[in-house]
mmCIF file of all heavy atoms in Angstrom:
data_model
loop_
_atom_site.group_PDB
_atom_site.id
_atom_site.type_symbol
_atom_site.label_atom_id
_atom_site.label_comp_id
_atom_site.label_asym_id
_atom_site.label_seq_id
_atom_site.Cartn_x
_atom_site.Cartn_y
_atom_site.Cartn_z
ATOM 1 N N ALA A 1 -6.761 6.309 -6.280
ATOM 2 C CA ALA A 1 -5.610 5.840 -5.522
ATOM 3 C C ALA A 1 -4.326 6.272 -6.268
ATOM 4 O O ALA A 1 -4.301 6.371 -7.496
ATOM 5 C CB ALA A 1 -5.614 4.347 -5.331
ATOM 6 N N TYR A 2 -3.304 6.437 -5.474
ATOM 7 C CA TYR A 2 -2.023 6.778 -6.038
ATOM 8 C C TYR A 2 -1.421 5.539 -6.837
ATOM 9 O O TYR A 2 -1.497 4.471 -6.364
ATOM 10 C CB TYR A 2 -0.964 7.158 -5.000
ATOM 11 C CG TYR A 2 -1.220 8.519 -4.377
ATOM 12 C CD1 TYR A 2 -1.494 8.666 -3.024
ATOM 13 C CD2 TYR A 2 -1.160 9.662 -5.123
ATOM 14 C CE1 TYR A 2 -1.664 9.900 -2.457
ATOM 15 C CE2 TYR A 2 -1.430 10.918 -4.579
ATOM 16 C CZ TYR A 2 -1.646 11.012 -3.218
ATOM 17 O OH TYR A 2 -1.815 12.269 -2.631
ATOM 18 N N PRO A 3 -0.874 5.828 -8.010
ATOM 19 C CA PRO A 3 -0.123 4.680 -8.666
ATOM 20 C C PRO A 3 1.054 4.267 -7.783
ATOM 21 O O PRO A 3 1.574 5.098 -7.055
ATOM 22 C CB PRO A 3 0.376 5.283 -9.940
ATOM 23 C CG PRO A 3 -0.427 6.593 -10.153
ATOM 24 C CD PRO A 3 -0.882 7.027 -8.790
ATOM 25 N N GLY A 4 1.416 3.008 -7.837
ATOM 26 C CA GLY A 4 2.463 2.437 -7.065
ATOM 27 C C GLY A 4 3.765 3.273 -7.104
ATOM 28 O O GLY A 4 4.392 3.579 -6.100
ATOM 29 N N PHE A 5 4.145 3.668 -8.303
ATOM 30 C CA PHE A 5 5.419 4.370 -8.482
ATOM 31 C C PHE A 5 5.368 5.765 -7.742
ATOM 32 O O PHE A 5 6.367 6.180 -7.130
ATOM 33 C CB PHE A 5 5.795 4.518 -9.956
ATOM 34 C CG PHE A 5 4.995 5.614 -10.691
ATOM 35 C CD1 PHE A 5 5.375 6.935 -10.696
ATOM 36 C CD2 PHE A 5 3.831 5.272 -11.276
ATOM 37 C CE1 PHE A 5 4.682 7.868 -11.411
ATOM 38 C CE2 PHE A 5 3.021 6.179 -11.996
ATOM 39 C CZ PHE A 5 3.481 7.537 -12.028
ATOM 40 N N LEU A 6 4.230 6.420 -7.746
ATOM 41 C CA LEU A 6 4.101 7.678 -7.129
ATOM 42 C C LEU A 6 4.070 7.573 -5.584
ATOM 43 O O LEU A 6 4.749 8.296 -4.886
ATOM 44 C CB LEU A 6 2.878 8.433 -7.622
ATOM 45 C CG LEU A 6 2.643 9.818 -7.054
ATOM 46 C CD1 LEU A 6 3.798 10.766 -7.284
ATOM 47 C CD2 LEU A 6 1.360 10.398 -7.614
ATOM 48 N N LEU A 7 3.341 6.534 -5.142
ATOM 49 C CA LEU A 7 3.325 6.324 -3.681
ATOM 50 C C LEU A 7 4.805 6.038 -3.170
ATOM 51 O O LEU A 7 5.155 6.552 -2.110
ATOM 52 C CB LEU A 7 2.459 5.070 -3.378
ATOM 53 C CG LEU A 7 1.991 4.937 -1.922
ATOM 54 C CD1 LEU A 7 1.184 6.113 -1.512
ATOM 55 C CD2 LEU A 7 1.135 3.632 -1.838
ATOM 56 N N ARG A 8 5.559 5.355 -3.976
ATOM 57 C CA ARG A 8 6.975 5.124 -3.662
ATOM 58 C C ARG A 8 7.760 6.396 -3.555
ATOM 59 O O ARG A 8 8.526 6.622 -2.576
ATOM 60 C CB ARG A 8 7.628 4.147 -4.710
ATOM 61 C CG ARG A 8 9.118 4.047 -4.589
ATOM 62 C CD ARG A 8 9.453 3.377 -3.220
ATOM 63 N NE ARG A 8 10.848 3.756 -2.834
ATOM 64 C CZ ARG A 8 11.616 2.850 -2.269
ATOM 65 N NH1 ARG A 8 11.266 1.605 -2.093
ATOM 66 N NH2 ARG A 8 12.804 3.214 -1.888
ATOM 67 N N GLN A 9 7.592 7.213 -4.525
ATOM 68 C CA GLN A 9 8.325 8.509 -4.524
ATOM 69 C C GLN A 9 7.852 9.461 -3.388
ATOM 70 O O GLN A 9 8.663 10.172 -2.816
ATOM 71 C CB GLN A 9 8.151 9.195 -5.924
ATOM 72 C CG GLN A 9 8.976 8.435 -6.988
ATOM 73 C CD GLN A 9 8.781 8.985 -8.353
ATOM 74 O OE1 GLN A 9 7.835 9.495 -8.676
ATOM 75 N NE2 GLN A 9 9.847 8.816 -9.135
ATOM 76 N N LEU A 10 6.535 9.446 -3.109
ATOM 77 C CA LEU A 10 6.069 10.267 -1.981
ATOM 78 C C LEU A 10 6.630 9.804 -0.716
ATOM 79 O O LEU A 10 7.020 10.606 0.146
ATOM 80 C CB LEU A 10 4.516 10.153 -2.006
ATOM 81 C CG LEU A 10 3.839 10.894 -3.069
ATOM 82 C CD1 LEU A 10 2.319 10.545 -3.134
ATOM 83 C CD2 LEU A 10 4.069 12.414 -3.060
ATOM 84 N N PHE A 11 6.790 8.501 -0.538
ATOM 85 C CA PHE A 11 7.436 7.928 0.663
ATOM 86 C C PHE A 11 8.854 8.346 0.758
ATOM 87 O O PHE A 11 9.361 8.822 1.784
ATOM 88 C CB PHE A 11 7.378 6.412 0.672
ATOM 89 C CG PHE A 11 8.299 5.744 1.686
ATOM 90 C CD1 PHE A 11 7.820 5.635 2.958
ATOM 91 C CD2 PHE A 11 9.543 5.317 1.359
ATOM 92 C CE1 PHE A 11 8.660 5.121 4.008
ATOM 93 C CE2 PHE A 11 10.387 4.785 2.332
ATOM 94 C CZ PHE A 11 9.924 4.693 3.686
ATOM 95 N N ASP A 12 9.580 8.350 -0.362
ATOM 96 C CA ASP A 12 10.956 8.744 -0.395
ATOM 97 C C ASP A 12 11.139 10.186 -0.047
ATOM 98 O O ASP A 12 12.084 10.628 0.670
ATOM 99 C CB ASP A 12 11.637 8.449 -1.712
ATOM 100 C CG ASP A 12 11.894 7.002 -2.010
ATOM 101 O OD1 ASP A 12 11.935 6.194 -1.063
ATOM 102 O OD2 ASP A 12 12.077 6.630 -3.203
ATOM 103 N N MET A 13 10.205 11.050 -0.470
ATOM 104 C CA MET A 13 10.319 12.483 -0.288
ATOM 105 C C MET A 13 9.800 12.970 1.075
ATOM 106 O O MET A 13 10.404 13.883 1.651
ATOM 107 C CB MET A 13 9.591 13.195 -1.354
ATOM 108 C CG MET A 13 10.239 13.133 -2.740
ATOM 109 S SD MET A 13 9.338 14.030 -3.993
ATOM 110 C CE MET A 13 9.492 15.675 -3.453
ATOM 111 N N TYR A 14 8.800 12.256 1.592
ATOM 112 C CA TYR A 14 8.092 12.792 2.769
ATOM 113 C C TYR A 14 8.016 11.757 3.938
ATOM 114 O O TYR A 14 7.079 11.844 4.741
ATOM 115 C CB TYR A 14 6.705 13.295 2.376
ATOM 116 C CG TYR A 14 6.695 14.265 1.265
ATOM 117 C CD1 TYR A 14 6.226 13.958 0.068
ATOM 118 C CD2 TYR A 14 7.387 15.577 1.459
ATOM 119 C CE1 TYR A 14 6.270 14.891 -1.012
ATOM 120 C CE2 TYR A 14 7.434 16.414 0.387
ATOM 121 C CZ TYR A 14 6.913 16.115 -0.842
ATOM 122 O OH TYR A 14 6.969 17.033 -1.833
ATOM 123 N N GLU A 15 9.031 10.945 4.013
ATOM 124 C CA GLU A 15 8.934 9.845 5.010
ATOM 125 C C GLU A 15 8.686 10.305 6.394
ATOM 126 O O GLU A 15 7.895 9.678 7.082
ATOM 127 C CB GLU A 15 10.292 9.105 4.942
ATOM 128 C CG GLU A 15 10.419 7.930 5.888
ATOM 129 C CD GLU A 15 11.829 7.293 5.776
ATOM 130 O OE1 GLU A 15 12.662 7.696 4.974
ATOM 131 O OE2 GLU A 15 12.008 6.350 6.538
ATOM 132 N N GLU A 16 9.237 11.468 6.862
ATOM 133 C CA GLU A 16 9.058 11.833 8.186
ATOM 134 C C GLU A 16 7.663 12.294 8.527
ATOM 135 O O GLU A 16 7.231 12.458 9.676
ATOM 136 C CB GLU A 16 10.024 12.944 8.553
ATOM 137 C CG GLU A 16 9.773 14.264 7.893
ATOM 138 C CD GLU A 16 10.431 14.321 6.500
ATOM 139 O OE1 GLU A 16 10.993 13.370 5.950
ATOM 140 O OE2 GLU A 16 10.365 15.488 5.885
ATOM 141 N N HIS A 17 6.828 12.600 7.425
ATOM 142 C CA HIS A 17 5.449 12.979 7.637
ATOM 143 C C HIS A 17 4.496 11.999 6.987
ATOM 144 O O HIS A 17 3.371 12.335 6.550
ATOM 145 C CB HIS A 17 5.191 14.410 7.030
ATOM 146 C CG HIS A 17 6.018 15.470 7.714
ATOM 147 N ND1 HIS A 17 6.771 16.385 7.039
ATOM 148 C CD2 HIS A 17 6.205 15.707 9.012
ATOM 149 C CE1 HIS A 17 7.372 17.172 7.892
ATOM 150 N NE2 HIS A 17 7.024 16.801 9.123
ATOM 151 N N PHE A 18 4.913 10.727 6.933
ATOM 152 C CA PHE A 18 4.060 9.596 6.393
ATOM 153 C C PHE A 18 3.870 8.677 7.653
ATOM 154 O O PHE A 18 4.729 7.943 8.057
ATOM 155 C CB PHE A 18 4.820 8.903 5.279
ATOM 156 C CG PHE A 18 3.943 8.187 4.286
ATOM 157 C CD1 PHE A 18 4.377 8.079 3.011
ATOM 158 C CD2 PHE A 18 2.674 7.694 4.624
ATOM 159 C CE1 PHE A 18 3.588 7.424 2.000
ATOM 160 C CE2 PHE A 18 1.903 7.072 3.704
ATOM 161 C CZ PHE A 18 2.373 6.914 2.377
ATOM 162 N N LEU A 19 2.707 8.713 8.218
ATOM 163 C CA LEU A 19 2.379 7.956 9.429
ATOM 164 C C LEU A 19 1.334 6.841 9.122
ATOM 165 O O LEU A 19 0.428 7.073 8.283
ATOM 166 C CB LEU A 19 1.907 8.890 10.519
ATOM 167 C CG LEU A 19 2.756 10.157 10.792
ATOM 168 C CD1 LEU A 19 2.070 11.004 11.798
ATOM 169 C CD2 LEU A 19 4.144 9.764 11.227
ATOM 170 N N VAL A 20 1.509 5.780 9.840
ATOM 171 C CA VAL A 20 0.574 4.657 9.586
ATOM 172 C C VAL A 20 -0.032 4.145 10.932
ATOM 173 O O VAL A 20 0.556 4.352 11.947
ATOM 174 C CB VAL A 20 1.219 3.475 8.820
ATOM 175 C CG1 VAL A 20 1.736 3.933 7.493
ATOM 176 C CG2 VAL A 20 2.451 2.919 9.677
ATOM 177 N N LEU A 21 -1.117 3.472 10.789
ATOM 178 C CA LEU A 21 -1.764 2.705 11.914
ATOM 179 C C LEU A 21 -1.476 1.217 11.617
ATOM 180 O O LEU A 21 -2.054 0.655 10.599
ATOM 181 C CB LEU A 21 -3.275 3.026 11.934
ATOM 182 C CG LEU A 21 -3.660 4.346 12.416
ATOM 183 C CD1 LEU A 21 -5.131 4.562 12.194
ATOM 184 C CD2 LEU A 21 -3.234 4.655 13.819
ATOM 185 N N ASP A 22 -0.775 0.591 12.384
ATOM 186 C CA ASP A 22 -0.285 -0.825 12.233
ATOM 187 C C ASP A 22 -1.060 -1.666 13.258
ATOM 188 O O ASP A 22 -1.008 -1.400 14.451
ATOM 189 C CB ASP A 22 1.209 -0.860 12.503
ATOM 190 C CG ASP A 22 1.810 -2.245 12.187
ATOM 191 O OD1 ASP A 22 1.062 -3.236 12.233
ATOM 192 O OD2 ASP A 22 3.009 -2.306 12.115
ATOM 193 N N ASP A 23 -1.720 -2.661 12.774
ATOM 194 C CA ASP A 23 -2.503 -3.560 13.706
ATOM 195 C C ASP A 23 -1.695 -4.741 14.235
ATOM 196 O O ASP A 23 -2.198 -5.504 15.009
ATOM 197 C CB ASP A 23 -3.796 -4.026 13.085
ATOM 198 C CG ASP A 23 -3.606 -5.070 11.997
ATOM 199 O OD1 ASP A 23 -2.525 -5.480 11.749
ATOM 200 O OD2 ASP A 23 -4.716 -5.493 11.429
ATOM 201 N N GLY A 24 -0.427 -4.855 13.814
ATOM 202 C CA GLY A 24 0.526 -5.856 14.332
ATOM 203 C C GLY A 24 0.358 -7.223 13.554
ATOM 204 O O GLY A 24 1.098 -8.133 13.872
ATOM 205 N N THR A 25 -0.547 -7.309 12.607
ATOM 206 C CA THR A 25 -0.707 -8.568 11.885
ATOM 207 C C THR A 25 -0.129 -8.493 10.431
ATOM 208 O O THR A 25 -0.360 -9.393 9.674
ATOM 209 C CB THR A 25 -2.190 -8.946 11.750
ATOM 210 O OG1 THR A 25 -2.838 -7.963 10.839
ATOM 211 C CG2 THR A 25 -2.902 -8.963 13.119
ATOM 212 N N GLY A 26 0.487 -7.291 10.149
ATOM 213 C CA GLY A 26 1.019 -7.106 8.749
ATOM 214 C C GLY A 26 0.032 -6.272 7.961
ATOM 215 O O GLY A 26 0.310 -5.979 6.836
ATOM 216 N N ARG A 27 -1.115 -5.938 8.572
ATOM 217 C CA ARG A 27 -2.062 -5.078 7.815
ATOM 218 C C ARG A 27 -2.078 -3.681 8.395
ATOM 219 O O ARG A 27 -2.118 -3.540 9.577
ATOM 220 C CB ARG A 27 -3.464 -5.676 7.836
ATOM 221 C CG ARG A 27 -3.549 -6.893 6.991
ATOM 222 C CD ARG A 27 -4.928 -7.492 6.983
ATOM 223 N NE ARG A 27 -5.981 -6.682 6.380
ATOM 224 C CZ ARG A 27 -6.220 -6.617 5.083
ATOM 225 N NH1 ARG A 27 -5.504 -7.289 4.183
ATOM 226 N NH2 ARG A 27 -7.195 -5.806 4.636
ATOM 227 N N LEU A 28 -2.020 -2.689 7.543
ATOM 228 C CA LEU A 28 -2.207 -1.321 7.961
ATOM 229 C C LEU A 28 -3.678 -0.934 7.927
ATOM 230 O O LEU A 28 -4.366 -1.359 7.057
ATOM 231 C CB LEU A 28 -1.365 -0.361 7.073
ATOM 232 C CG LEU A 28 0.136 -0.652 7.041
ATOM 233 C CD1 LEU A 28 0.836 0.333 6.049
ATOM 234 C CD2 LEU A 28 0.732 -0.544 8.433
ATOM 235 N N ARG A 29 -4.080 -0.191 8.966
ATOM 236 C CA ARG A 29 -5.463 0.242 9.038
ATOM 237 C C ARG A 29 -5.710 1.645 8.672
ATOM 238 O O ARG A 29 -6.942 2.136 8.724
ATOM 239 C CB ARG A 29 -5.973 -0.055 10.435
ATOM 240 C CG ARG A 29 -5.875 -1.571 10.811
ATOM 241 C CD ARG A 29 -6.675 -2.346 9.831
ATOM 242 N NE ARG A 29 -6.607 -3.780 10.212
ATOM 243 C CZ ARG A 29 -7.506 -4.661 9.907
ATOM 244 N NH1 ARG A 29 -8.491 -4.326 9.054
ATOM 245 N NH2 ARG A 29 -7.387 -5.919 10.299
ATOM 246 N N GLY A 30 -4.596 2.478 8.428
ATOM 247 C CA GLY A 30 -4.843 3.902 8.089
ATOM 248 C C GLY A 30 -3.531 4.478 7.840
ATOM 249 O O GLY A 30 -2.446 3.866 8.183
ATOM 250 N N TYR A 31 -3.543 5.697 7.206
ATOM 251 C CA TYR A 31 -2.324 6.482 7.044
ATOM 252 C C TYR A 31 -2.671 7.945 6.905
ATOM 253 O O TYR A 31 -3.793 8.265 6.566
ATOM 254 C CB TYR A 31 -1.476 5.953 5.897
ATOM 255 C CG TYR A 31 -1.903 6.430 4.519
ATOM 256 C CD1 TYR A 31 -1.584 7.662 4.042
ATOM 257 C CD2 TYR A 31 -2.549 5.571 3.643
ATOM 258 C CE1 TYR A 31 -1.972 8.092 2.750
ATOM 259 C CE2 TYR A 31 -2.962 5.894 2.340
ATOM 260 C CZ TYR A 31 -2.588 7.186 1.963
ATOM 261 O OH TYR A 31 -3.007 7.584 0.672
ATOM 262 N N VAL A 32 -1.651 8.776 7.116
ATOM 263 C CA VAL A 32 -1.693 10.134 6.784
ATOM 264 C C VAL A 32 -0.389 10.547 6.098
ATOM 265 O O VAL A 32 0.635 10.006 6.535
ATOM 266 C CB VAL A 32 -2.096 11.085 7.946
ATOM 267 C CG1 VAL A 32 -0.926 11.038 8.978
ATOM 268 C CG2 VAL A 32 -2.341 12.545 7.548
ATOM 269 N N LEU A 33 -0.441 11.386 5.062
ATOM 270 C CA LEU A 33 0.757 11.817 4.408
ATOM 271 C C LEU A 33 0.700 13.306 4.210
ATOM 272 O O LEU A 33 -0.324 13.799 3.716
ATOM 273 C CB LEU A 33 0.882 11.142 3.008
ATOM 274 C CG LEU A 33 1.892 11.598 2.058
ATOM 275 C CD1 LEU A 33 3.286 11.491 2.610
ATOM 276 C CD2 LEU A 33 1.751 10.949 0.713
ATOM 277 N N ALA A 34 1.766 13.974 4.647
ATOM 278 C CA ALA A 34 1.885 15.448 4.496
ATOM 279 C C ALA A 34 3.118 15.726 3.654
ATOM 280 O O ALA A 34 4.136 15.162 3.914
ATOM 281 C CB ALA A 34 1.913 16.118 5.832
ATOM 282 N N ALA A 35 3.010 16.613 2.743
ATOM 283 C CA ALA A 35 4.081 17.048 1.897
ATOM 284 C C ALA A 35 4.438 18.487 2.210
ATOM 285 O O ALA A 35 3.568 19.329 2.433
ATOM 286 C CB ALA A 35 3.706 16.949 0.406
ATOM 287 N N THR A 36 5.740 18.778 2.321
ATOM 288 C CA THR A 36 6.191 20.130 2.626
ATOM 289 C C THR A 36 7.009 20.612 1.410
ATOM 290 O O THR A 36 7.575 19.864 0.747
ATOM 291 C CB THR A 36 7.017 20.158 3.904
ATOM 292 O OG1 THR A 36 8.086 19.235 3.778
ATOM 293 C CG2 THR A 36 6.142 19.730 5.126
ATOM 294 N N ARG A 37 7.006 21.968 1.223
ATOM 295 C CA ARG A 37 7.798 22.563 0.286
ATOM 296 C C ARG A 37 9.240 22.757 0.763
ATOM 297 O O ARG A 37 9.509 22.960 1.926
ATOM 298 C CB ARG A 37 7.212 24.034 -0.065
ATOM 299 C CG ARG A 37 5.901 23.925 -0.699
ATOM 300 C CD ARG A 37 5.433 25.264 -1.095
ATOM 301 N NE ARG A 37 4.084 25.103 -1.694
ATOM 302 C CZ ARG A 37 3.402 26.129 -2.159
ATOM 303 N NH1 ARG A 37 3.839 27.336 -2.058
ATOM 304 N NH2 ARG A 37 2.224 25.898 -2.660
ATOM 305 N N ALA A 38 10.135 22.559 -0.152
ATOM 306 C CA ALA A 38 11.551 22.741 0.206
ATOM 307 C C ALA A 38 11.846 24.163 0.671
ATOM 308 O O ALA A 38 12.618 24.306 1.586
ATOM 309 C CB ALA A 38 12.404 22.412 -1.018
ATOM 310 N N LEU A 39 11.234 25.108 0.033
ATOM 311 C CA LEU A 39 11.394 26.560 0.462
ATOM 312 C C LEU A 39 10.050 27.004 0.877
ATOM 313 O O LEU A 39 9.039 26.857 0.199
ATOM 314 C CB LEU A 39 11.902 27.361 -0.719
ATOM 315 C CG LEU A 39 13.255 26.905 -1.319
ATOM 316 C CD1 LEU A 39 13.613 27.787 -2.539
ATOM 317 C CD2 LEU A 39 14.369 27.045 -0.264
ATOM 318 N N GLY A 40 10.021 27.572 2.042
ATOM 319 C CA GLY A 40 8.785 28.144 2.591
ATOM 320 C C GLY A 40 8.207 27.261 3.716
ATOM 321 O O GLY A 40 8.877 26.297 4.100
ATOM 322 N N ALA A 41 7.138 27.705 4.209
ATOM 323 C CA ALA A 41 6.571 27.138 5.443
ATOM 324 C C ALA A 41 5.178 26.603 5.202
ATOM 325 O O ALA A 41 4.314 26.698 6.024
ATOM 326 C CB ALA A 41 6.667 28.078 6.645
ATOM 327 N N ASP A 42 5.012 25.980 4.015
ATOM 328 C CA ASP A 42 3.620 25.487 3.616
ATOM 329 C C ASP A 42 3.705 23.984 3.556
ATOM 330 O O ASP A 42 4.761 23.400 3.244
ATOM 331 C CB ASP A 42 3.193 26.032 2.301
ATOM 332 C CG ASP A 42 2.799 27.447 2.322
ATOM 333 O OD1 ASP A 42 2.988 28.100 3.350
ATOM 334 O OD2 ASP A 42 2.407 27.931 1.252
ATOM 335 N N SER A 43 2.535 23.350 3.729
ATOM 336 C CA SER A 43 2.396 21.889 3.616
ATOM 337 C C SER A 43 1.012 21.586 3.104
ATOM 338 O O SER A 43 0.023 22.355 3.251
ATOM 339 C CB SER A 43 2.546 21.247 5.028
ATOM 340 O OG SER A 43 2.465 19.887 4.994
ATOM 341 N N TRP A 44 0.905 20.426 2.460
ATOM 342 C CA TRP A 44 -0.324 19.909 1.959
ATOM 343 C C TRP A 44 -0.551 18.465 2.570
ATOM 344 O O TRP A 44 0.409 17.702 2.550
ATOM 345 C CB TRP A 44 -0.312 19.749 0.463
ATOM 346 C CG TRP A 44 -0.657 21.029 -0.175
ATOM 347 C CD1 TRP A 44 0.181 21.966 -0.543
ATOM 348 C CD2 TRP A 44 -1.981 21.486 -0.758
ATOM 349 N NE1 TRP A 44 -0.445 23.075 -1.203
ATOM 350 C CE2 TRP A 44 -1.753 22.705 -1.253
ATOM 351 C CE3 TRP A 44 -3.173 20.877 -0.671
ATOM 352 C CZ2 TRP A 44 -2.795 23.452 -1.882
ATOM 353 C CZ3 TRP A 44 -4.204 21.575 -1.276
ATOM 354 C CH2 TRP A 44 -4.059 22.885 -1.891
ATOM 355 N N ILE A 45 -1.757 18.213 3.064
ATOM 356 C CA ILE A 45 -2.104 16.815 3.441
ATOM 357 C C ILE A 45 -2.455 16.161 2.176
ATOM 358 O O ILE A 45 -3.433 16.488 1.553
ATOM 359 C CB ILE A 45 -3.228 16.765 4.446
ATOM 360 C CG1 ILE A 45 -2.900 17.600 5.727
ATOM 361 C CG2 ILE A 45 -3.608 15.328 4.694
ATOM 362 C CD1 ILE A 45 -1.759 17.054 6.528
#
């Protein structure tokens, strides 16, 4: 698992490609995170 500080920084950098499944009770049931390069047209899940 990602350390908390890294998860925070990944959120800050890639928020628009950080998607979650919310069950409405305060619990998330899934997520996907994609990172893109500042220069170029590549991405990593």
Side-chain angles (χ1 to χ4, degrees):
Y2 287 119
F5 75 90
L6 181 57
L7 199 60
R8 169 62 202 222
Q9 291 176 327
L10 291 170
F11 169 81
D12 288 341
M13 291 180 64
Y14 306 114
E15 179 181 359
E16 69 276 6
H17 297 131
F18 206 153
L19 310 177
V20 298
L21 292 171
D22 184 343
D23 72 3
T25 70
R27 290 183 63 86
L28 299 178
R29 300 302 182 157
Y31 80 79
V32 65
L33 169 61
T36 55
R37 294 184 180 180
L39 301 173
D42 289 5
S43 179
W44 279 84
I45 302 297

